[in-house]
Amino acid sequence: MIGERQAAILSIIIDSYIKTGEPIGSKTLASLLPYRISSATIRNEMAYLSELGFLEQMHTSAGRIPSKASYRYYVNHLLSPSPLSDYEKDYILKNLSVNAGDPERLLHDAELLLAERTNCTAFFHTVKDELDSVQGVDLIPAGNGKAMLVMLTVGGKIKSSVCRLDCPADNDFKSLFYYIASEFFIGTPLTDINLGLIQSTVPVLGARVFDMLPVLTSLCSLCREASESTLVLEGETNLLAHEELGNSVYRLLSFLADKTKLSAYIEEYAKHGKDTELFIGDENYHYELKNTSTVFSKFIYNNSQIAVLGIIGSTRIDYASILPRVDYIMKTVKEFLQKGGVTFE
């Protein structure tokens, strides 16, 4: 721990650097402190903070700026969070309530909000669940030889597609479809639904196999899509405005574009991480993230479904403003996920 005066000086230096991106001099510091202190004393305190690793000097003649270690101390001990207004809470709640019953759309809406409210890159990642299965299906005639197929999984994933039919989607066709769905698909793990399963329906369908084939192959595709993990990013170009990233921003954007390493990192967090964690600088596992601050939140819903929602920004993000807003969005998403969503009768 550091003394009260040193903490006050460090807090002012960090707050100023977050706002301006420039080092602050001892004279300006002296004017901002709530008590009188000489510039010489401030310089001595800054030298001590540098010895502790809280301040660093970019060039010999330049002033001192916060180190990555100082941001961690700042967040843990010095931060004064900026509260959300009632208007902002209401805005977030309204945006998230639109798709509250559909977990993936809810996560996508939250990702958009995070990118907007933090000016960082936001992401959500759903983790593949080998045990997820089909809970229900619905076939809705759409006219002109088309029908909409909607599929719901036990894990709460909703997928839909439009099929082109070679026969009318009348009551007889729908009754046969629902019978086949009940006998072969409902309750079946998504990973077990493939063309082989469709072929096993042939003896039951008989002469109507070719009429039913477009719907069943579409259902097969929806199940395959729902069975896979998903990583979606939003606001990658926000990072271009984080000037302190310098040329490393292009390496970071390349890392995000590839997604392979990030996806593996997030899935590892999904297995072993806490509900919500902030990683600053070198606390991040990957080299490409060493100049960033990231927030990860893990959600477990519908018994076995796991998703991770988070942001990626520079280490100079406005922690006092961003962290409370991220926290409020994460808690709202968690509440909606715990309430559950759509069911098919």
Side-chain angles (χ1 to χ4, degrees):
M1 295 289 289
I2 58 179
E4 181 180 342
R5 186 168 65 189
Q6 293 154 355
I9 290 172
L10 181 61
S11 182
I12 291 173
I13 290 173
I14 293 175
D15 284 336
S16 175
Y17 186 68
I18 286 173
K19 291 176 183 176
T20 69
E22 299 291 337
I24 185 172
S26 57
K27 288 185 179 180
T28 305
L29 261 172
S31 68
L32 294 174
L33 285 167
Y35 39 75
R36 295 190 66 178
I37 184 173
S38 69
S39 295
T41 301
I42 289 178
R43 286 193 293 271
N44 289 336
E45 297 287 31
M46 291 173 69
Y48 178 70
L49 290 169
S50 297
E51 290 177 9
L52 294 178
F54 287 150
L55 298 178
E56 56 189 29
Q57 212 166 10
M58 301 301 291
H59 307 289
T60 305
S61 60
R64 290 178 174 85
I65 63 173
S67 67
K68 296 171 185 175
S70 74
Y71 287 123
R72 171 52 66 189
Y73 189 88
Y74 174 79
V75 168
N76 289 354
H77 303 288
L78 307 176
L79 186 68
S80 296
S82 173
L84 283 74
S85 66
D86 290 339
Y87 170 81
E88 192 170 6
K89 289 180 180 179
D90 187 57
Y91 176 82
I92 290 171
L93 187 61
K94 284 182 178 178
N95 276 272
L96 293 179
S97 63
V98 173
N99 293 305
D102 184 335
E104 284 201 7
R105 289 183 177 178
L106 170 63
L107 290 166
H108 181 60
D109 290 343
E111 173 197 43
L112 292 172
L113 267 178
L114 285 169
E116 173 194 311
R117 309 313 288 184
T118 67
N119 197 36
C120 296
T121 294
F123 65 84
F124 79 87
H125 190 296
T126 59
V127 179
K128 183 175 182 177
D129 178 14
E130 299 287 349
L131 300 179
D132 199 9
S133 59
V134 178
Q135 177 176 314
V137 292
D138 200 3
L139 187 67
I140 306 167
N144 298 320
K146 297 178 182 178
M148 173 171 282
L149 178 64
V150 184
M151 185 268 296
L152 172 68
T153 76
V154 172
K157 293 183 178 180
I158 302 172
K159 301 292 180 181
S160 63
S161 65
V162 176
C163 313
R164 184 172 294 278
L165 304 178
D166 295 326
C167 66
D170 53 22
N171 289 335
D172 289 341
F173 181 86
K174 290 174 65 178
S175 296
L176 180 58
F177 168 73
Y178 288 130
Y179 175 77
I180 294 296
S182 176
E183 291 295 314
F184 293 90
F185 292 90
I186 305 299
T188 302
L190 300 176
T191 52
D192 291 344
I193 296 176
N194 49 41
L195 293 178
L197 180 63
I198 292 177
Q199 290 174 350
S200 66
T201 68
V202 172
V204 179
L205 290 170
R208 301 217 63 178
V209 62
F210 292 106
D211 291 338
M212 194 64 62
L213 193 58
V215 182
L216 296 184
T217 54
S218 181
L219 179 57
C220 184
S221 296
L222 294 180
C223 292
R224 183 172 61 251
E225 180 183 342
S227 71
E228 297 298 325
S229 59
T230 303
L231 172 60
V232 181
L233 291 98
E234 184 70 32
E236 295 97 314
T237 56
N238 286 345
L239 296 174
L240 295 173
H242 295 215
E243 296 177 359
E244 60 281 3
L245 289 173
N247 290 332
S248 67
V249 71
Y250 300 106
R251 182 173 61 245
L252 176 57
L253 290 173
S254 296
F255 172 76
L256 298 179
D258 179 36
K259 294 186 179 180
T260 306
K261 291 181 181 179
L262 180 60
S263 180
Y265 184 27
I266 295 173
E267 292 199 7
E268 188 66 21
Y269 179 83
K271 293 177 183 177
H272 306 294
K274 300 176 183 178
D275 285 350
T276 298
E277 289 191 73
L278 165 67
F279 300 98
I280 301 175
D282 294 336
E283 296 169 5
N284 287 288
Y285 176 78
H286 283 287
Y287 171 75
E288 292 86 350
L289 296 173
K290 296 299 184 182
N291 291 323
T292 71
S293 289
T294 61
V295 179
F296 287 29
S297 280
K298 177 172 63 174
F299 305 94
I300 301 175
Y301 56 99
N302 293 338
N303 297 322
S304 60
Q305 297 298 297
I306 301 176
V308 178
L309 181 66
I311 64 167
I312 301 170
S314 74
T315 52
R316 213 191 97 206
I317 61 172
D318 186 352
Y319 297 95
S321 175
I322 287 176
L323 294 184
R325 281 142 188 84
V326 170
D327 182 64
Y328 187 77
I329 291 171
M330 300 303 190
K331 286 181 177 178
T332 304
V333 169
K334 183 177 182 179
E335 289 175 4
F336 281 134
L337 288 174
Q338 289 177 341
K339 288 178 181 177
V342 178
T343 57
F344 285 173
E345 298 296 337

